[in-house]
């Protein structure tokens, strides 16, 4: 899934037996409206199962590849050996390039302009790719790397006598969209044979690309196809699919001179002989503990030293399929995953020959991790991880789970289906649910607002001003201004516990504290190197003492694929203070930082459309509400008390008189750090908190309690409807 604009989240599933229908077949595409909490199905012609995706410079999104056409229970499509299936009515998606231009509620969502363009006869890749990597370059071109051809557990045969092509099952080439010529073999895809699907890719300031797969690492020049070896992953810990560690680039800031450092956490050190081949693992993976290990690498050090992996703090628990979401305050949230095993599904292993003997159904992982954790890269070594005060969920988020930063700085969490098709009665079932996680900064009562955001940003050039009104902060104006940052955040295309294209960039800024108690922020454009932050969409946040505003969508660059214009960076005016200025926002912050903060947890889950719907968002077209099941308050060591409280802003997504502005003055009084479930406001179906056990066969009784939801108000109006039960 991905955030198309401030109003729409776009969701893709695999072609499978979803109860939600469109044009007479199961739906595997949808658009979810952030403001109305309603969704509608979208027609997608080809099978998007395990595709990759990336933003384009104009704000559109593209997805690449997928699976051949399939029918019920994963059977090969009934026409021409997987070209098409008459039951699910999906076409072979392995060479597909699908383009979407995100629309808003002002548009006709049913129009051609707002629908997926999905016609492989007109637009397609040169090669068939399933689980390929995708990474944007500085000119907006997308590099597409490797992948399976026909799928499987890992990308190799045994014995591995043909590591290049695996007898036609592996695709070792790279190509570009738009095309730069014929697909070309990448040697790294051969040397990492087996564990090289969904390779981790990060563009560097030089234009080279960090690529990590298996336990190997390189810098790759996409212009010349030259590979520069970097050190292997310490400890033999695999991070790439299906080991599926949590991986992210740390925030790019003026303080680190926009020098990228990439953090790798979790995955597994399972021995090579345990991995098996395309068919299944040799080992009962669900019994093998995952890794807690975290490693950092700065691929292009500015001091002339050689790149090395540096041991970082261990995670609080091991995870496979954990996913990093970069938050606007510069911390990294990790969610989802399991304590044991790997991603993927199978009906047997080398040790368990029969599906009936598989203890977790088709899942190759066990021990779902329900409590998130936050990594703070600015804390001293030994104290970077914390889960104090964070809520837990009892919804297992394993294979095929996703998470995404929302415009209000919350995190949407959805999915999980370690099954070959829809299965509602297994241990870890097909999960038609979505949750919203509210990080600790939602404990503040006043939230920053700002106006003056431009629609487009350039690479270098004249600075621009943002205005923070006096009622958007509390306490000393000088202290508030000195603790303010302006950041760009791109959530990326999220799939399989990865966010392709996710990146955080802090813009350089100074300030003037005005006599009317407002603050003017003087903000530099994006650094004049498109490789640092590639052209395309991003959310702009103003963050005051760790409390973010709502995000406003902007476009970075000229909106076109091609060399991006760059200009010299403008020198910003010196900061100017006003000792008499103070904010009128609610809150008791003094501007000083604290080592502890009061936090809270809202926990609760829902039975997502067990009665049938497209994955992730419940029965499509229905209105969602939120029911807060429980709240508790606890201390958080890692996140200092908010000196500037957070105030609600209008519709929460860039509305108001000017861009970045707000119109709604209601204060939020509820506590923070919450998992709250998206629920369906449709009295024809019964909903309520799930009673599923994560360690026993799935049995779920559910009723319905729905609240009229305001995330900035703890007083929820509840009403009950009839209850039902389904096994």
């Amino acid at each position: 899934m991905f955030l198309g604009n401030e109003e729409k989240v776009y969701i893709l599933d695999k072609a499978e037996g979803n109860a939600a229908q469109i044009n007479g077949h199961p739906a595997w595409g949808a658009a979810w409206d952030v403001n109305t909490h309603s969704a509608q199905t979208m027609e997608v012609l080809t099978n998007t199962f395990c595709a990759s995706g990336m933003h384009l410079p104009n704000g559109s999104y593209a997805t690449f590849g997928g699976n051949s056409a399939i029918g019920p229970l994963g059977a090969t499509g009934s026409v021409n050996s997987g070209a098409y299936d008459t039951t699910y009515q999906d076409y072979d998606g392995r060479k597909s390039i699908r383009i979407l231009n995100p629309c808003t509620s002002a548009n006709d969502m049913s129009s051609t302009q707002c629908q997926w363009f999905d016609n492989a006869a007109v637009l397609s890749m040169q090669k068939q790719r399933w689980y390929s990597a995708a990474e944007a370059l500085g000119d907006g071109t997308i590099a597409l790397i490797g992948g399976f051809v026909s799928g499987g557990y890992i990308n190799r045969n045994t014995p591995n006598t043909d590591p290049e092509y695996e007898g036609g099952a592996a695709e070792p080439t790279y190509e570009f969209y738009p095309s730069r010529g014929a697909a070309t073999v990448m040697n790294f895809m051969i040397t990492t044979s087996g564990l090289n699907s969904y390779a981790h890719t990060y563009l560097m300031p030089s234009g080279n690309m960090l690529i990590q797969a298996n336990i190997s690492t390189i810098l790759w020049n996409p212009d010349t196809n030259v590979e520069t070896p970097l050190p292997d992953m310490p400890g033999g810990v695999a991070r790439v699919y299906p080991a599926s560690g949590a991986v992210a680039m740390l925030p790019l800031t003026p303080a680190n001179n926009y020098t990228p450092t990439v953090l790798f956490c979790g995955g597994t050190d399972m021995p090579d002989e345990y991995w098996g081949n395309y068919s299944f693992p040799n080992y009962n993976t669900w019994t093998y503990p995952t890794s807690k290990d975290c490693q950092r690498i700065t691929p292009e050090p500015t001091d002339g030293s050689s790149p090395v992996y540096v041991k970082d703090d261990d995670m609080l628990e091991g995870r496979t399929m954990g996913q990093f979401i970069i938050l606007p305050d510069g911390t990294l949230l990790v969610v989802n995953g399991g304590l044991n095993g790997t991603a993927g599904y199978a009906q047997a292993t080398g040790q368990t020959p029969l599906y009936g003997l598989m203890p977790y159904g088709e899942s190759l992982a066990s021990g779902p991790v329900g409590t998130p954790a936050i990594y703070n890269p600015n804390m001293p070594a030994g104290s970077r991880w914390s889960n104090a005060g964070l809520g837990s969920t009892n919804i297992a988020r394993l294979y095929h789970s996703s998470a995404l930063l929302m415009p209000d700085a919350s995190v949407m969490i959805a999915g999980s289906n370690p099954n070959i098709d829809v299965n509602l009665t297994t241990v870890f079932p097909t999960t038609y649910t979505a949750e919203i996680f509210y990080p600790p900064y939602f404990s503040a009562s006043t939230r920053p607002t700002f106006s003056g955001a431009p629609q487009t940003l350039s690479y270098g050039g004249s600075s621009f001003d943002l205005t923070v009104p006096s009622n958007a902060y509390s306490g000393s104006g000088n202290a508030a201004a000195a603790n303010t940052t302006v950041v760009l955040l791109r959530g990326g295309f999220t799939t399989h516990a990865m966010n392709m294209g996710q990146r955080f960039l802090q813009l350089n800024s100074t300030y003037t504290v005005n006599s009317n108690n407002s603050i003017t922020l003087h903000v530099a454009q994006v650094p004049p190197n498109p490789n640092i932050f590639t052209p395309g969409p991003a959310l702009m946040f103003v963050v005051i003492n760790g409390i973010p505003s709502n995000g406003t969508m902007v476009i970075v660059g000229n909106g076109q694929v091609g060399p991006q214009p760059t200009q010299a960076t403008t020198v910003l005016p010196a900061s100017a203070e006003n000792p008499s200025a103070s904010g009128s926002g609610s809150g008791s912050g003094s501007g000083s930082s604290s080592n502890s903060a009061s936090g809270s947890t809202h926990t609760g889950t829902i039975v997502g459309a067990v009665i049938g719907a497209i994955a992730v968002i419940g029965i499509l077209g229905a209105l969602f509400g939120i029911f807060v099941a429980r709240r508790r308050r606890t201390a958080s060591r890692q996140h200092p008390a908010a000196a500037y409280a957070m105030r609600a802003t209008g519709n929460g997504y860039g509305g108001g008189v000017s861009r970045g502005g707000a119109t709604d003055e209601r204060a939020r009084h509820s506590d923070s750090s919450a998992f709250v479930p998206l629920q369906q406001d449709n009295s024809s179906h019964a909903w309520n908190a799930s009673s599923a056990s994560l360690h026993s066969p799935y049995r779920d009784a559910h009723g319905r309690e729905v609240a009229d939801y305001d995330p900035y108000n703890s007083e929820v109006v509840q009403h009950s409807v009839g209850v039902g039960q389904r096994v």
Side-chain angles (χ1 to χ4, degrees), residues 105-182:
S105 56
N107 305 116
D108 177 4
M109 289 294 291
S110 65
S111 68
T112 302
Q113 290 77 12
C114 295
Q115 294 292 308
W116 282 100
F117 178 84
D118 185 8
N119 186 342
V122 176
L123 183 63
S124 65
M125 296 182 292
Q126 300 173 46
K127 300 293 185 178
Q128 296 174 332
R129 300 184 189 275
W130 193 20
Y131 288 89
S132 65
E135 181 73 4
L137 305 183
D139 66 353
T141 301
I142 312 300
L144 306 167
I145 301 170
F148 293 88
V149 172
S150 300
Y153 175 57
I154 65 169
N155 203 6
R156 75 177 183 192
N157 293 303
T158 48
N160 194 3
T161 58
D162 179 17
E164 184 171 5
Y165 289 103
E166 301 292 347
E171 183 48 64
T173 67
Y174 67 92
E175 60 182 285
F176 299 98
Y177 174 73
S179 178
R180 289 185 175 183

Side-chain angles (χ1 to χ4, degrees), residues 169-217:
E171 183 48 64
T173 67
Y174 67 92
E175 60 182 285
F176 299 98
Y177 174 73
S179 178
R180 289 185 175 183
T184 304
V185 170
M186 176 185 287
N187 188 63
F188 187 68
M189 290 291 104
I190 303 172
T191 59
T192 57
S193 174
L195 299 178
N196 59 11
S197 303
Y198 277 155
H200 297 299
T201 56
Y202 293 93
L203 188 69
M204 295 289 112
S206 67
N208 290 331
M209 188 184 299
L210 176 75
I211 306 181
Q212 198 283 321
N214 209 307
I215 59 170
S216 301
T217 315

Side-chain angles (χ1 to χ4, degrees), residues 190-344:
I190 303 172
T191 59
T192 57
S193 174
L195 299 178
N196 59 11
S197 303
Y198 277 155
H200 297 299
T201 56
Y202 293 93
L203 188 69
M204 295 289 112
S206 67
N208 290 331
M209 188 184 299
L210 176 75
I211 306 181
Q212 198 283 321
N214 209 307
I215 59 170
S216 301
T217 315
I218 62 168
L219 278 174
W220 175 66
N221 187 317
D223 295 324
T224 64
N225 195 23
V226 171
E227 301 177 6
T228 302
L230 297 183
D232 287 345
M233 187 65 66
V237 181
R239 318 286 185 171
V240 75
Y241 172 85
S244 297
V247 183
M249 181 182 288
L250 297 182
L252 298 165
T253 69
N256 60 33
N257 198 29
Y258 303 108
T259 303
T261 294
V262 180
L263 177 67
F264 297 81
C265 289
T268 182
D269 63 358
M270 198 164 66
D272 180 75
E273 62 270 19
Y274 285 13
W275 283 104
N277 53 34
Y278 287 106
S279 297
F280 45 68
N282 284 332
Y283 191 78
N284 288 340
T285 54
W286 56 86
T287 68
Y288 196 96
T290 56
S291 176
K292 297 181 180 180
D293 178 72
C294 291
Q295 299 283 338
R296 292 188 184 198
I297 190 170
T298 301
E300 295 183 341
T302 56
D303 61 2
S305 62
S306 297
V308 293
Y309 279 102
V310 177
K311 181 76 173 73
D312 208 333
D313 294 2
D314 283 350
M315 290 195 295
L316 303 180
E317 63 275 299
R319 292 185 194 237
T320 176
M321 298 171 284
Q323 182 169 357
F324 274 133
I325 302 297
I326 309 175
L327 301 177
D329 64 359
T331 62
L332 280 70
L333 175 74
V334 67
V335 295
N336 303 342
L339 293 171
N340 309 300
T342 71

Side-chain angles (χ1 to χ4, degrees), residues 6 28 30 119 144 152 189 267 269 291 349-350 407 416 429 453 466 470 510 518 540 544 546 554 593 616 619 680 711:
E6 295 170 23
W28 57 89
N119 186 342
L144 306 167
M189 290 291 104
D269 63 358
S291 176
T349 72
S416 190
L466 302 176
S470 61
T510 59
S518 67
M540 177 184 288
I544 300 180
V554 299
S593 159
V616 176
I619 293 181
Q680 180 179 347

Side-chain angles (χ1 to χ4, degrees), residues 7 11 94 125 131 152 225 230 235 275 278 302 335 350 409 414 447 452 467 504 507 510 553 595 607 615 642 667:
E7 293 186 10
I11 300 166
R94 290 175 293 175
M125 296 182 292
Y131 288 89
N225 195 23
L230 297 183
W275 283 104
Y278 287 106
T302 56
V335 295
R447 145 168 250 172
T467 300
F504 174 113
L507 298 174
T510 59
M553 190 72 79
N595 289 326
V607 176

